[in-house]
Amino acid sequence: MAAKIIDGKAISAAVKEQVRAEIERDKIKAGLAVVIVGDDPASRVYVNNKKKACELCGIQSFEYALPAETEQNQLLELIDTLNADKNVNGILVQLPLPDHFDEKAVIERISPLKDVDAFHESNVGKIMIGNYAFLPCTPAGCMELIHSTGVDVAGKECVVIGRSNIVGKPMAMLLLHENGTVTVCHSKTKNLTEVCRRADILVAAVGRPNFVTADMVKDGAVVIDVGINRLENGKLCGDVKFDEVSEKAAYITPVPGGVGPMTIAMLMKNTLTAARIQNS
Ligand code: NAD
């Protein structure tokens, strides 16, 4: 039986509408600063999408496009200025930064109260113990998509493929917070196919096109595809071989139109949360 396609576009539109309505109702002044260094075309697209989402939600957006040759100190100074700016509630530095930057030091410079990506060590620690204001946008978006299926995570076998700090690890933690039985797989995992086949909820965050094939998927599973891979023909494709896996799963996210739009919607939600905390 063909899987139900989880419509990330529609769910993200609903989240953004909720943010917009709350901002209007409570007369909240919220601002998001997005800093982009260099001219990576994919990053440029993401930044433009974030700007559009801000406009839609009634969040003021401040964009700082810096040349690739910008020095670390200059970027840190800009972050200090934004940390002190009352009109800026959230600060996002678009990653990856050019090679000469120390990304970790840049992230740590952002005030944890304005860290709407939730990448700062103190926010990561808070997520670990389940006492957080912000959740990292992509894993939080995946959780919304899972919730939309009505499938209860509690007691389910959940398998996350990928252990990056921005997707795989926090994703595993959020599933664990909802009482899933969580396995994290990575490049050194043995018997990956068998492990994945146990999953009631399978999240793929590998960054390799069509990596998850039907033989890795349990009948009736929820499959969340985080991957965004650009093929040689210019088309976007996920980590999951959509055509065959959608014949086996009960629910599946498409690429594009699945996790991607959710990431931006959750960023809007985090910016609203940041504004509420800072204004209170
Ligand atoms: P990453 O490269 O940091 O991590 C990839 C992970 O995959 C690693 O932990 C690695 O151990 C694992 N891996 C690699 N080869 C493997 C193998 N053969 N078997 C099992 N595991 C293997 O990537 P990331 O930043 O976590 O991103 C993953 C994907 O998600 C990318 O395609 C990225 O573009 C996409 N992404 C999408 C969004 C979104 O908004 N939709 C956000 C962030 C990342």
Side-chain angles (χ1 to χ4, degrees), residues 194-206:
E194 282 94 290
V195 177
C196 290
R197 232 182 353 228
R198 290 205 306 257
D200 302 304
I201 298 172
L202 180 64
V203 181
V206 191

Side-chain angles (χ1 to χ4, degrees), residues 80-148:
D80 290 344
T81 307
L82 297 173
N83 280 339
D85 187 338
K86 288 205 159 47
N87 292 316
V88 172
N89 304 111
I91 303 170
L92 182 149
V93 177
Q94 186 66 45
L95 301 178
L97 287 167
D99 287 347
H100 63 280
F101 282 94
D102 175 354
E103 270 184 9
K104 191 169 175 293
V106 170
I107 290 167
E108 292 315 305
R109 193 69 161 238
I110 298 171
S111 158
L113 290 174
K114 297 191 176 186
D115 170 41
V116 282
D117 258 337
F119 291 164
H120 191 285
E121 278 175 5
S122 82
N123 285 325
V124 173
K126 285 180 173 179
I127 291 157
M128 185 84 180
I129 57 172
N131 170 29
Y132 44 77
F134 309 119
L135 289 176
C137 301
T138 300
C142 293
M143 293 308 293
E144 292 280 329
L145 296 175
I146 294 168
H147 294 154
S148 78

Side-chain angles (χ1 to χ4, degrees), residues 76 92 136 150-151 193 200 243:
L76 294 181
L92 182 149
V151 171
T193 297
D200 302 304
D243 290 350

